[in-house]
Amino acid sequence: MNAGKLLTLVQKEWLELLRSFKLIWVPLVFVVLGIMQPVTSYYMPVILEKAGNMPEGTVIEIPLPSGAQVLADTLSQFGVMGLLILALSFMGTVSGERNSGATSLVLVKPISFGTYIAAKWISMMTLTWGALLLGYAASWYYTWLLIEQVAFGPFLLSYILFGLWFTFILTGTLLFSTLLRSAAGAAFSSLGLAVLLSLLAGLMPKYLSWSPGSITGSAYQAVQSLEGFDALASFGWSIGITVLLIGAGLIGSAAMLRRSPALD
Amino acid sequence: MNRLLQVEGLVKTFGTTQAVKGIGFNIKEGRCTALLGPNGAGKTTTIRMLTGLLKPTEGKIEFQGLRPGEDQRSLLGYLPQSPAFHNWMSGMEYAVYAGKLCGLSAGEAKSRAKELLGRVGLADAANRKIGGYSGGMKQRLGLAQALIHRPRLLVMDEPVSALDPIGRREVLGILKELKEETTVLFSTHVLHDAEELCDDVVIIQSGQVALQGSLSQIQSDHRRPVIELKLEDKESSMEWARSFVERHQTDDAWRMIIEDAHLEDRTLRLTVLDMEKARQALTEELAKQRVGFVRLEAGYSSLEDLFMKVVGA
C-alpha cells in the first residue's frame, strides 16, 4: 500500500462527498436529529397541550427525563434514522463506479485493490464519525441547556461505542457494495444485518452478548453511568469480535474487487 | 527488434463458453499493432486480460523490461471503448488524479496534465466538468489520462468506433502522432483505420488468431489483382453477368486468366491471375456482347477482402 496514492484516492472521495453535498447535508441531518431529542423531551407537555386535542382542563404531568436518558434516546434515533441515511448515501460507493465503468479506468493504474477499498472506507468513516460527533454534541449541548449537564466521560465513551457500531454496519455496506451489482441491495443487506443483530442481541442477551449487536446496548449503558458499566463481562468480547469482523469485511471487499474489478 | 509484450496460449472461459481459445502474439517495441476481428471475436476480452482487468483462465502475458516487483500496469496506458470518468470532476482534475495514481508527484502530474490536455485539444475545456463533454472530448480525455505516466505500451479498445466522423478524424490524427513516440496496440473492426495506422496486424476470429504479421508483408502475400465491373440495371446485362459467372469455370480460355468470379447485386468481381490478359479479354467480351456497364475498375484486393476471406464471411 502506497501512502501517496492512498491519499490521492481519499482526496478524490472527499471531493466527491463535497461536490455531491453529502458532506453538508448528512451532518446537518444528524445535528437536527440530535437537537430534536432534548427539545421534544423538554417541551413534550406543551406539545401535548397544544396539539393533543385534550379536553379542557386536562392536567399533564410528565416527569422530565434525566439528561443521560435523553442522550441514550438520541443515540437510538441515530441508530435508526442516522444509520439509514448513511447506508443510503454509501450504498453505491463501489457498485456505482463499477457499473458506470469508472473502475476500469482507475484499476488499470498501478494501485492495489486494498488501497482502493481502504480509501473508500476512510472517506466513509470520516463522514460517519464526523456527522455522529456533530449531531451527538449538539444533542449534548441542548440537553445541558434544557435539562442537565451530562458528564463528558460517559458522553465520550458512548460516542466511541456507537461510532464502532456504525463502522461495523457501514463496513458491511462497503462489502455488499463490492459484492452486489445493485446499490439498493447493498443498503438493504447492511441495514437488514443491523436490524437482525440488534434484534438477536435484544432477544437473547445472555447468549449473544459477545455479538456486535450488543454494542448499542453497551453505549446506552455507558452514557447513563460509568460505574455500573464495568459489570458487563462480555463487553471486551463484543468489541474484539466487532473489530475483527470489520477487518475481515475490508479484506473481503478487496478480495471481491480483485475477483471482478470491472463488469463484462 | 525488441519484443515488448509476449502473449502465449491465452484462454478465457466464461461459464461454458470459451471466448478466447489460445491466442498468442508478440508486440514489438515502437510498432503499432492492430487487433482485428469481427464483433464477438474476443478482441475486448483479450485486451481486458492484457490490462489485468480480467484474469486469464490459462496462458501467459509477459512484459519485457519489467523490473522485479514492478507492477506491469505501470507500463500500460489503457483507453477502454467508452471511457467513464467521474462526471463531477473537471478534465484537468481527472488528468491530475490519473497522474498521481500512476505515482507522479503533484507538480509533475499537473504539468503533464496541462501538456497532454493541450495536445489532445482540450486546453479550453480543461476546467469544465466532464459531465458536459461530448463523446469525442471524452475519448480525447481518455487518451490524455492513459498517456499521463508515459507508458511503454498504449492499449486501446475500439478507440474510434463510437465517434462521429469529425471526432473520429480528430482522434485518428492524434493517434498518428502518438505512434511515433510509443508502442501502440488497439483493437478495431474498422479495417480502414487499421490500414491507415498500423505496422502489424493480428486478425482474430472466434477466439483464435487467424492471421498475423506485418501489414506490408500480409498485403504483398495476399494481394491479388482484381477487376470490378459495375453493371447497368438492365436485364440483358445482368443475364450476361450470370452466365459469365458460370462460364468462367468451364471455359478453358477464361480459366487460365480468371481465378474467381462472383456477382453481388450489380457488381461483378473478378479475381484475376494475369491482369494484362484479363483486361484485354474482358473489354473485348464486353464490346462483343454489348454489355452496359457503369464502371470498370482494375486494382488490387484490399485488406477488407483479405479480412473477409480470413474470417470466412
Side-chain angles (χ1 to χ4, degrees), chain B residues 186-242:
Chain B
F186 72 97
S187 78
T188 182
H189 59 253
V190 186
L191 293 142
H192 186 70
D193 299 344
E195 255 178 319
E196 202 169 325
L197 285 173
C198 356
D199 312 309
D200 297 325
V201 287
V202 178
I203 300 181
I204 61 175
Q205 156 72 352
S206 24
Q208 278 164 319
V209 174
L211 186 66
Q212 63 175 312
S214 83
L215 190 60
S216 50
Q217 187 63 44
I218 284 182
Q219 272 175 335
S220 69
D221 283 358
H222 295 268
R223 200 158 75 152
R224 291 271 185 283
V226 166
I227 297 179
E228 246 183 38
L229 181 67
K230 190 166 184 195
L231 294 156
E232 210 179 31
D233 191 12
K234 225 163 70 181
E235 196 44 46
S236 61
S237 305
M238 297 304 289
E239 189 65 42
W240 169 83
R242 278 191 286 272

CSV table of all heavy atoms in Angstrom, one decimal, chain B residues 186-242:
chain,number,residue,atom,x,y,z
B,186,PHE,N,-4.1,-1.5,-30.6
B,186,PHE,CA,-5.5,-1.2,-30.5
B,186,PHE,C,-6.4,-2.2,-31.2
B,186,PHE,O,-5.9,-2.9,-32.2
B,186,PHE,CB,-5.8,0.2,-31.0
B,186,PHE,CG,-5.7,0.4,-32.4
B,186,PHE,CD1,-6.8,0.4,-33.2
B,186,PHE,CD2,-4.4,0.7,-33.0
B,186,PHE,CE1,-6.7,0.7,-34.6
B,186,PHE,CE2,-4.3,0.9,-34.4
B,186,PHE,CZ,-5.5,0.9,-35.2
B,187,SER,N,-7.6,-2.4,-30.8
B,187,SER,CA,-8.5,-3.3,-31.4
B,187,SER,C,-9.4,-2.5,-32.3
B,187,SER,O,-9.8,-1.4,-31.9
B,187,SER,CB,-9.2,-4.1,-30.4
B,187,SER,OG,-10.3,-3.3,-29.8
B,188,THR,N,-9.9,-3.1,-33.3
B,188,THR,CA,-10.9,-2.4,-34.2
B,188,THR,C,-11.6,-3.4,-35.1
B,188,THR,O,-11.0,-4.5,-35.3
B,188,THR,CB,-10.2,-1.4,-35.1
B,188,THR,OG1,-11.2,-0.7,-35.8
B,188,THR,CG2,-9.1,-2.0,-36.0
B,189,HIS,N,-12.8,-3.1,-35.5
B,189,HIS,CA,-13.3,-3.9,-36.6
B,189,HIS,C,-13.4,-3.0,-37.8
B,189,HIS,O,-13.9,-3.5,-38.9
B,189,HIS,CB,-14.7,-4.4,-36.2
B,189,HIS,CG,-15.7,-3.3,-35.8
B,189,HIS,ND1,-16.1,-3.1,-34.5
B,189,HIS,CD2,-16.4,-2.5,-36.6
B,189,HIS,CE1,-16.9,-2.1,-34.5
B,189,HIS,NE2,-17.1,-1.7,-35.7
B,190,VAL,N,-12.9,-1.8,-37.8
B,190,VAL,CA,-12.8,-1.0,-38.9
B,190,VAL,C,-11.5,-1.1,-39.6
B,190,VAL,O,-10.5,-0.7,-39.1
B,190,VAL,CB,-13.1,0.5,-38.6
B,190,VAL,CG1,-13.2,1.4,-39.8
B,190,VAL,CG2,-14.3,0.6,-37.7
B,191,LEU,N,-11.5,-1.8,-40.8
B,191,LEU,CA,-10.3,-2.1,-41.4
B,191,LEU,C,-9.5,-0.9,-41.9
B,191,LEU,O,-8.3,-0.9,-42.0
B,191,LEU,CB,-10.6,-3.0,-42.6
B,191,LEU,CG,-11.1,-4.3,-42.1
B,191,LEU,CD1,-12.2,-4.8,-42.9
B,191,LEU,CD2,-10.0,-5.3,-42.0
B,192,HIS,N,-10.3,0.1,-42.3
B,192,HIS,CA,-9.7,1.3,-42.9
B,192,HIS,C,-8.7,1.9,-41.9
B,192,HIS,O,-7.6,2.3,-42.2
B,192,HIS,CB,-10.8,2.2,-43.3
B,192,HIS,CG,-10.2,3.4,-44.1
B,192,HIS,ND1,-9.7,3.3,-45.3
B,192,HIS,CD2,-10.1,4.7,-43.7
B,192,HIS,CE1,-9.2,4.5,-45.7
B,192,HIS,NE2,-9.5,5.3,-44.7
B,193,ASP,N,-9.2,2.0,-40.6
B,193,ASP,CA,-8.4,2.6,-39.6
B,193,ASP,C,-7.1,1.8,-39.4
B,193,ASP,O,-6.0,2.3,-39.2
B,193,ASP,CB,-9.1,2.5,-38.2
B,193,ASP,CG,-10.4,3.3,-38.3
B,193,ASP,OD1,-10.5,4.1,-39.2
B,193,ASP,OD2,-11.2,3.2,-37.4
B,194,ALA,N,-7.2,0.5,-39.4
B,194,ALA,CA,-6.0,-0.4,-39.3
B,194,ALA,C,-5.0,-0.2,-40.4
B,194,ALA,O,-3.8,0.0,-40.2
B,194,ALA,CB,-6.5,-1.9,-39.2
B,195,GLU,N,-5.6,-0.1,-41.6
B,195,GLU,CA,-4.7,0.1,-42.8
B,195,GLU,C,-4.0,1.4,-42.7
B,195,GLU,O,-2.8,1.6,-43.1
B,195,GLU,CB,-5.5,0.1,-44.1
B,195,GLU,CG,-5.4,-1.2,-44.8
B,195,GLU,CD,-6.3,-1.2,-46.1
B,195,GLU,OE1,-7.5,-0.7,-46.0
B,195,GLU,OE2,-5.9,-1.7,-47.1
B,196,GLU,N,-4.7,2.4,-42.1
B,196,GLU,CA,-4.1,3.8,-42.1
B,196,GLU,C,-3.0,3.9,-41.0
B,196,GLU,O,-2.1,4.6,-41.2
B,196,GLU,CB,-5.3,4.7,-41.8
B,196,GLU,CG,-5.0,6.1,-42.2
B,196,GLU,CD,-6.3,7.0,-42.1
B,196,GLU,OE1,-7.4,6.4,-42.3
B,196,GLU,OE2,-6.2,8.1,-41.7
B,197,LEU,N,-3.2,3.2,-39.9
B,197,LEU,CA,-2.4,3.5,-38.7
B,197,LEU,C,-1.3,2.4,-38.5
B,197,LEU,O,-0.2,2.8,-38.0
B,197,LEU,CB,-3.2,3.5,-37.5
B,197,LEU,CG,-4.1,4.8,-37.3
B,197,LEU,CD1,-5.0,4.6,-36.1
B,197,LEU,CD2,-3.1,6.0,-37.0
B,198,CYS,N,-1.6,1.2,-38.7
B,198,CYS,CA,-0.6,0.2,-38.1
B,198,CYS,C,0.5,-0.3,-39.0
B,198,CYS,O,0.4,-0.2,-40.2
B,198,CYS,CB,-1.3,-1.0,-37.6
B,198,CYS,SG,-2.9,-1.0,-37.7
B,199,ASP,N,1.4,-0.9,-38.3
B,199,ASP,CA,2.5,-1.6,-38.9
B,199,ASP,C,2.3,-3.1,-38.9
B,199,ASP,O,2.6,-3.8,-39.9
B,199,ASP,CB,3.8,-1.4,-38.2
B,199,ASP,CG,4.0,0.1,-37.9
B,199,ASP,OD1,3.9,0.9,-38.8
B,199,ASP,OD2,4.2,0.4,-36.7
B,200,ASP,N,1.7,-3.6,-37.8
B,200,ASP,CA,1.4,-5.0,-37.7
B,200,ASP,C,-0.1,-5.3,-37.5
B,200,ASP,O,-0.8,-4.4,-36.9
B,200,ASP,CB,2.1,-5.6,-36.5
B,200,ASP,CG,3.6,-5.5,-36.6
B,200,ASP,OD1,4.1,-5.6,-37.8
B,200,ASP,OD2,4.3,-5.3,-35.6
B,201,VAL,N,-0.6,-6.4,-38.0
B,201,VAL,CA,-2.0,-6.8,-37.6
B,201,VAL,C,-2.0,-8.2,-37.1
B,201,VAL,O,-1.2,-9.0,-37.4
B,201,VAL,CB,-2.9,-6.7,-38.9
B,201,VAL,CG1,-3.2,-5.3,-39.3
B,201,VAL,CG2,-2.4,-7.5,-40.0
B,202,VAL,N,-3.0,-8.4,-36.2
B,202,VAL,CA,-3.3,-9.7,-35.7
B,202,VAL,C,-4.8,-9.8,-35.9
B,202,VAL,O,-5.6,-9.1,-35.4
B,202,VAL,CB,-3.0,-9.8,-34.2
B,202,VAL,CG1,-3.4,-11.2,-33.7
B,202,VAL,CG2,-1.6,-9.5,-33.9
B,203,ILE,N,-5.2,-10.7,-36.9
B,203,ILE,CA,-6.6,-10.9,-37.1
B,203,ILE,C,-7.1,-12.1,-36.3
B,203,ILE,O,-6.5,-13.2,-36.4
B,203,ILE,CB,-6.8,-11.2,-38.6
B,203,ILE,CG1,-6.3,-10.0,-39.5
B,203,ILE,CG2,-8.3,-11.4,-38.9
B,203,ILE,CD1,-6.5,-10.2,-41.0
B,204,ILE,N,-8.1,-11.8,-35.5
B,204,ILE,CA,-8.6,-13.0,-34.7
B,204,ILE,C,-10.1,-13.2,-35.1
B,204,ILE,O,-10.8,-12.4,-35.5
B,204,ILE,CB,-8.5,-12.8,-33.2
B,204,ILE,CG1,-9.3,-11.5,-32.7
B,204,ILE,CG2,-7.1,-12.7,-32.8
B,204,ILE,CD1,-9.2,-11.4,-31.2
B,205,GLN,N,-10.4,-14.5,-35.0
B,205,GLN,CA,-11.7,-15.0,-35.5
B,205,GLN,C,-12.2,-16.0,-34.5
B,205,GLN,O,-11.4,-17.0,-34.2
B,205,GLN,CB,-11.6,-15.5,-36.9
B,205,GLN,CG,-12.6,-16.5,-37.3
B,205,GLN,CD,-14.0,-15.8,-37.5
B,205,GLN,OE1,-14.2,-14.6,-37.2
B,205,GLN,NE2,-15.0,-16.5,-38.0
B,206,SER,N,-13.3,-15.9,-33.9
B,206,SER,CA,-13.9,-16.8,-32.9
B,206,SER,C,-12.8,-17.2,-31.9
B,206,SER,O,-12.6,-18.4,-31.6
B,206,SER,CB,-14.6,-18.0,-33.4
B,206,SER,OG,-14.3,-18.3,-34.7
B,207,GLY,N,-12.1,-16.3,-31.3
B,207,GLY,CA,-11.2,-16.6,-30.2
B,207,GLY,C,-9.9,-17.1,-30.6
B,207,GLY,O,-9.1,-17.6,-29.7
B,208,GLN,N,-9.6,-17.2,-31.9
B,208,GLN,CA,-8.3,-17.7,-32.3
B,208,GLN,C,-7.6,-16.7,-33.2
B,208,GLN,O,-8.3,-16.0,-34.0
B,208,GLN,CB,-8.5,-19.1,-33.0
B,208,GLN,CG,-8.6,-20.2,-32.0
B,208,GLN,CD,-9.2,-21.4,-32.6
B,208,GLN,OE1,-10.1,-21.3,-33.5
B,208,GLN,NE2,-8.6,-22.6,-32.3
B,209,VAL,N,-6.3,-16.8,-33.3
B,209,VAL,CA,-5.6,-16.0,-34.2
B,209,VAL,C,-5.7,-16.6,-35.6
B,209,VAL,O,-5.4,-17.8,-35.8
B,209,VAL,CB,-4.1,-15.9,-33.9
B,209,VAL,CG1,-3.3,-15.1,-35.0
B,209,VAL,CG2,-3.9,-15.2,-32.5
B,210,ALA,N,-6.3,-15.8,-36.6
B,210,ALA,CA,-6.5,-16.4,-37.9
B,210,ALA,C,-5.3,-16.0,-38.8
B,210,ALA,O,-4.9,-16.8,-39.6
B,210,ALA,CB,-7.8,-15.8,-38.5
B,211,LEU,N,-4.7,-14.9,-38.5
B,211,LEU,CA,-3.6,-14.4,-39.4
B,211,LEU,C,-2.8,-13.3,-38.6
B,211,LEU,O,-3.4,-12.5,-38.0
B,211,LEU,CB,-4.1,-13.9,-40.7
B,211,LEU,CG,-3.1,-13.5,-41.8
B,211,LEU,CD1,-2.4,-14.7,-42.3
B,211,LEU,CD2,-3.9,-12.8,-42.9
B,212,GLN,N,-1.5,-13.4,-38.6
B,212,GLN,CA,-0.8,-12.2,-38.0
B,212,GLN,C,0.5,-12.0,-38.8
B,212,GLN,O,1.1,-12.9,-39.4
B,212,GLN,CB,-0.5,-12.5,-36.6
B,212,GLN,CG,0.3,-13.7,-36.2
B,212,GLN,CD,0.6,-13.7,-34.7
B,212,GLN,OE1,1.0,-12.7,-34.1
B,212,GLN,NE2,0.5,-14.9,-34.1
B,213,GLY,N,1.0,-10.8,-38.7
B,213,GLY,CA,2.2,-10.4,-39.4
B,213,GLY,C,2.3,-8.9,-39.6
B,213,GLY,O,1.4,-8.2,-39.2
B,214,SER,N,3.3,-8.5,-40.3
B,214,SER,CA,3.3,-7.0,-40.6
B,214,SER,C,2.4,-6.8,-41.7
B,214,SER,O,2.2,-7.6,-42.6
B,214,SER,CB,4.8,-6.6,-40.9
B,214,SER,OG,5.0,-6.9,-42.3
B,215,LEU,N,1.8,-5.6,-41.7
B,215,LEU,CA,0.8,-5.2,-42.7
B,215,LEU,C,1.3,-5.3,-44.1
B,215,LEU,O,0.7,-5.9,-45.0
B,215,LEU,CB,0.3,-3.8,-42.4
B,215,LEU,CG,-0.9,-3.3,-43.1
B,215,LEU,CD1,-2.1,-4.2,-42.8
B,215,LEU,CD2,-1.2,-1.9,-42.8
B,216,SER,N,2.6,-4.8,-44.3
B,216,SER,CA,3.1,-4.8,-45.7
B,216,SER,C,3.3,-6.2,-46.2
B,216,SER,O,3.0,-6.5,-47.3
B,216,SER,CB,4.4,-4.0,-45.7
B,216,SER,OG,5.2,-4.4,-44.7
B,217,GLN,N,3.8,-7.0,-45.2
B,217,GLN,CA,4.1,-8.4,-45.6
B,217,GLN,C,2.7,-9.1,-46.0
B,217,GLN,O,2.7,-9.8,-47.0
B,217,GLN,CB,4.7,-9.2,-44.4
B,217,GLN,CG,5.2,-10.6,-44.7
B,217,GLN,CD,6.3,-10.6,-45.7
B,217,GLN,OE1,7.2,-9.7,-45.7
B,217,GLN,NE2,6.2,-11.4,-46.7
B,218,ILE,N,1.8,-8.9,-45.2
B,218,ILE,CA,0.5,-9.6,-45.4
B,218,ILE,C,-0.1,-9.1,-46.7
B,218,ILE,O,-0.6,-9.9,-47.5
B,218,ILE,CB,-0.5,-9.3,-44.2
B,218,ILE,CG1,-0.1,-10.1,-43.0
B,218,ILE,CG2,-1.9,-9.5,-44.6
B,218,ILE,CD1,-1.0,-10.0,-41.8
B,219,GLN,N,0.0,-7.8,-46.9
B,219,GLN,CA,-0.6,-7.2,-48.2
B,219,GLN,C,0.1,-7.8,-49.4
B,219,GLN,O,-0.5,-8.2,-50.4
B,219,GLN,CB,-0.5,-5.7,-48.1
B,219,GLN,CG,-1.7,-5.2,-47.5
B,219,GLN,CD,-1.7,-3.7,-47.3
B,219,GLN,OE1,-0.6,-3.1,-47.3
B,219,GLN,NE2,-2.8,-3.0,-47.3
B,220,SER,N,1.5,-7.9,-49.3
B,220,SER,CA,2.1,-8.4,-50.5
B,220,SER,C,1.9,-9.9,-50.7
B,220,SER,O,1.8,-10.4,-51.8
B,220,SER,CB,3.6,-8.0,-50.5
B,220,SER,OG,4.2,-8.8,-49.5
B,221,ASP,N,1.7,-10.6,-49.6
B,221,ASP,CA,1.5,-12.1,-49.7
B,221,ASP,C,0.1,-12.4,-50.3
B,221,ASP,O,-0.1,-13.3,-51.0
B,221,ASP,CB,1.6,-12.7,-48.3
B,221,ASP,CG,3.0,-12.9,-47.9
B,221,ASP,OD1,3.9,-12.5,-48.7
B,221,ASP,OD2,3.3,-13.4,-46.8
B,222,HIS,N,-0.8,-11.5,-49.8
B,222,HIS,CA,-2.2,-11.9,-50.1
B,222,HIS,C,-2.9,-11.0,-51.2
B,222,HIS,O,-4.0,-11.2,-51.5
B,222,HIS,CB,-3.0,-11.9,-48.9
B,222,HIS,CG,-2.6,-12.9,-47.9
B,222,HIS,ND1,-3.2,-14.2,-47.8
B,222,HIS,CD2,-1.6,-12.9,-46.9
B,222,HIS,CE1,-2.6,-14.9,-46.9
B,222,HIS,NE2,-1.6,-14.1,-46.3
B,223,ARG,N,-2.1,-10.1,-51.7
B,223,ARG,CA,-2.7,-9.1,-52.6
B,223,ARG,C,-2.9,-9.8,-54.0
B,223,ARG,O,-2.1,-10.5,-54.5
B,223,ARG,CB,-1.7,-8.0,-52.8
B,223,ARG,CG,-2.4,-6.7,-53.3
B,223,ARG,CD,-1.6,-5.6,-53.0
B,223,ARG,NE,-0.5,-5.5,-53.9
B,223,ARG,CZ,0.1,-4.3,-54.2
B,223,ARG,NH1,-0.4,-3.2,-53.7
B,223,ARG,NH2,1.2,-4.3,-54.9
B,224,ARG,N,-4.1,-9.6,-54.5
B,224,ARG,CA,-4.5,-10.2,-55.8
B,224,ARG,C,-5.0,-9.1,-56.7
B,224,ARG,O,-5.7,-8.2,-56.2
B,224,ARG,CB,-5.6,-11.2,-55.6
B,224,ARG,CG,-5.3,-12.4,-54.8
B,224,ARG,CD,-4.8,-13.5,-55.8
B,224,ARG,NE,-4.6,-14.7,-55.1
B,224,ARG,CZ,-3.5,-15.0,-54.3
B,224,ARG,NH1,-2.6,-14.0,-54.2
B,224,ARG,NH2,-3.4,-16.1,-53.7
B,225,PRO,N,-4.6,-9.2,-58.0
B,225,PRO,CA,-5.2,-8.2,-58.9
B,225,PRO,C,-6.7,-8.5,-59.0
B,225,PRO,O,-7.2,-9.7,-59.0
B,225,PRO,CB,-4.5,-8.5,-60.2
B,225,PRO,CG,-3.7,-9.7,-60.0
B,225,PRO,CD,-3.7,-10.1,-58.6
B,226,VAL,N,-7.5,-7.5,-59.0
B,226,VAL,CA,-9.0,-7.6,-59.0
B,226,VAL,C,-9.5,-6.7,-60.1
B,226,VAL,O,-9.1,-5.5,-60.2
B,226,VAL,CB,-9.5,-7.2,-57.6
B,226,VAL,CG1,-11.0,-7.0,-57.7
B,226,VAL,CG2,-9.2,-8.3,-56.6
B,227,ILE,N,-10.5,-7.1,-60.8
B,227,ILE,CA,-11.3,-6.3,-61.7
B,227,ILE,C,-12.7,-6.2,-61.2
B,227,ILE,O,-13.3,-7.2,-60.9
B,227,ILE,CB,-11.3,-6.8,-63.1
B,227,ILE,CG1,-9.8,-6.8,-63.7
B,227,ILE,CG2,-12.2,-5.9,-64.0
B,227,ILE,CD1,-9.7,-7.3,-65.1
B,228,GLU,N,-13.2,-5.0,-61.0
B,228,GLU,CA,-14.6,-4.8,-60.6
B,228,GLU,C,-15.4,-4.1,-61.7
B,228,GLU,O,-15.0,-3.1,-62.2
B,228,GLU,CB,-14.6,-3.9,-59.3
B,228,GLU,CG,-15.1,-4.6,-58.1
B,228,GLU,CD,-15.2,-3.7,-56.9
B,228,GLU,OE1,-15.6,-2.5,-57.1
B,228,GLU,OE2,-14.8,-4.2,-55.8
B,229,LEU,N,-16.5,-4.7,-62.0
B,229,LEU,CA,-17.3,-4.3,-63.0
B,229,LEU,C,-18.7,-4.0,-62.5
B,229,LEU,O,-19.4,-4.9,-62.0
B,229,LEU,CB,-17.4,-5.3,-64.1
B,229,LEU,CG,-18.2,-5.0,-65.4
B,229,LEU,CD1,-17.6,-3.9,-66.2
B,229,LEU,CD2,-18.3,-6.3,-66.2
B,230,LYS,N,-19.1,-2.7,-62.6
B,230,LYS,CA,-20.5,-2.4,-62.1
B,230,LYS,C,-21.4,-2.3,-63.3
B,230,LYS,O,-21.1,-1.5,-64.2
B,230,LYS,CB,-20.5,-1.1,-61.3
B,230,LYS,CG,-21.8,-0.9,-60.6
B,230,LYS,CD,-21.8,0.1,-59.5
B,230,LYS,CE,-23.1,0.2,-58.9
B,230,LYS,NZ,-23.3,1.4,-58.1
B,231,LEU,N,-22.5,-3.1,-63.3
B,231,LEU,CA,-23.3,-3.2,-64.5
B,231,LEU,C,-24.5,-2.2,-64.4
B,231,LEU,O,-25.0,-1.8,-63.3
B,231,LEU,CB,-23.8,-4.6,-64.6
B,231,LEU,CG,-22.7,-5.6,-64.9
B,231,LEU,CD1,-23.1,-7.0,-64.5
B,231,LEU,CD2,-22.3,-5.6,-66.4
B,232,GLU,N,-25.0,-2.0,-65.6
B,232,GLU,CA,-26.2,-1.2,-65.8
B,232,GLU,C,-27.4,-2.0,-65.3
B,232,GLU,O,-27.3,-3.2,-65.3
B,232,GLU,CB,-26.4,-0.9,-67.2
B,232,GLU,CG,-27.0,0.4,-67.6
B,232,GLU,CD,-27.1,0.5,-69.1
B,232,GLU,OE1,-27.2,-0.5,-69.8
B,232,GLU,OE2,-27.1,1.6,-69.6
B,233,ASP,N,-28.4,-1.3,-64.8
B,233,ASP,CA,-29.6,-2.0,-64.3
B,233,ASP,C,-30.5,-2.4,-65.5
B,233,ASP,O,-31.5,-1.9,-65.7
B,233,ASP,CB,-30.3,-1.1,-63.3
B,233,ASP,CG,-31.4,-2.0,-62.6
B,233,ASP,OD1,-31.3,-3.2,-62.7
B,233,ASP,OD2,-32.2,-1.3,-61.9
B,234,LYS,N,-30.0,-3.4,-66.3
B,234,LYS,CA,-30.8,-3.8,-67.4
B,234,LYS,C,-30.7,-5.3,-67.5
B,234,LYS,O,-29.7,-5.9,-67.2
B,234,LYS,CB,-30.2,-3.2,-68.7
B,234,LYS,CG,-31.2,-2.6,-69.6
B,234,LYS,CD,-30.7,-1.7,-70.7
B,234,LYS,CE,-29.8,-2.4,-71.7
B,234,LYS,NZ,-29.2,-1.5,-72.7
B,235,GLU,N,-31.8,-5.9,-67.8
B,235,GLU,CA,-31.9,-7.4,-67.7
B,235,GLU,C,-30.8,-8.1,-68.6
B,235,GLU,O,-30.2,-9.1,-68.2
B,235,GLU,CB,-33.3,-7.9,-68.1
B,235,GLU,CG,-33.6,-9.3,-67.7
B,235,GLU,CD,-33.1,-9.7,-66.3
B,235,GLU,OE1,-33.4,-8.9,-65.3
B,235,GLU,OE2,-32.5,-10.7,-66.2
B,236,SER,N,-30.6,-7.5,-69.8
B,236,SER,CA,-29.7,-8.2,-70.7
B,236,SER,C,-28.2,-8.2,-70.1
B,236,SER,O,-27.5,-9.2,-70.2
B,236,SER,CB,-29.7,-7.5,-72.1
B,236,SER,OG,-29.2,-6.2,-71.9
B,237,SER,N,-27.9,-7.1,-69.5
B,237,SER,CA,-26.5,-7.1,-68.9
B,237,SER,C,-26.4,-8.0,-67.8
B,237,SER,O,-25.4,-8.7,-67.6
B,237,SER,CB,-26.2,-5.6,-68.4
B,237,SER,OG,-26.4,-4.7,-69.4
B,238,MET,N,-27.4,-8.1,-66.9
B,238,MET,CA,-27.4,-9.0,-65.8
B,238,MET,C,-27.4,-10.4,-66.2
B,238,MET,O,-26.7,-11.3,-65.6
B,238,MET,CB,-28.6,-8.7,-64.9
B,238,MET,CG,-28.7,-7.4,-64.3
B,238,MET,SD,-27.3,-6.9,-63.3
B,238,MET,CE,-27.5,-8.0,-61.9
B,239,GLU,N,-28.1,-10.7,-67.3
B,239,GLU,CA,-28.1,-12.0,-67.9
B,239,GLU,C,-26.7,-12.5,-68.3
B,239,GLU,O,-26.3,-13.5,-67.9
B,239,GLU,CB,-29.1,-12.0,-69.1
B,239,GLU,CG,-29.4,-13.3,-69.7
B,239,GLU,CD,-30.2,-14.2,-68.7
B,239,GLU,OE1,-31.1,-13.6,-68.1
B,239,GLU,OE2,-29.9,-15.4,-68.6
B,240,TRP,N,-26.0,-11.5,-68.9
B,240,TRP,CA,-24.7,-11.8,-69.3
B,240,TRP,C,-23.8,-12.1,-68.1
B,240,TRP,O,-23.0,-13.1,-68.1
B,240,TRP,CB,-24.1,-10.6,-70.1
B,240,TRP,CG,-22.6,-10.8,-70.3
B,240,TRP,CD1,-22.0,-11.5,-71.3
B,240,TRP,CD2,-21.6,-10.3,-69.5
B,240,TRP,NE1,-20.7,-11.5,-71.2
B,240,TRP,CE2,-20.4,-10.7,-70.1
B,240,TRP,CE3,-21.6,-9.5,-68.4
B,240,TRP,CZ2,-19.1,-10.4,-69.5
B,240,TRP,CZ3,-20.3,-9.2,-67.8
B,240,TRP,CH2,-19.1,-9.6,-68.4
B,241,ALA,N,-23.9,-11.3,-67.1
B,241,ALA,CA,-23.1,-11.4,-65.9
B,241,ALA,C,-23.3,-12.8,-65.2
B,241,ALA,O,-22.4,-13.5,-64.9
B,241,ALA,CB,-23.4,-10.3,-64.9
B,242,ARG,N,-24.6,-13.2,-65.2
B,242,ARG,CA,-24.9,-14.5,-64.5
B,242,ARG,C,-24.3,-15.6,-65.4
B,242,ARG,O,-23.7,-16.6,-64.8
B,242,ARG,CB,-26.4,-14.7,-64.4
B,242,ARG,CG,-26.9,-14.0,-63.1
B,242,ARG,CD,-28.4,-14.4,-62.8
B,242,ARG,NE,-29.3,-13.7,-63.8
B,242,ARG,CZ,-29.9,-12.5,-63.6
B,242,ARG,NH1,-29.6,-11.8,-62.5
B,242,ARG,NH2,-30.7,-12.0,-64.4
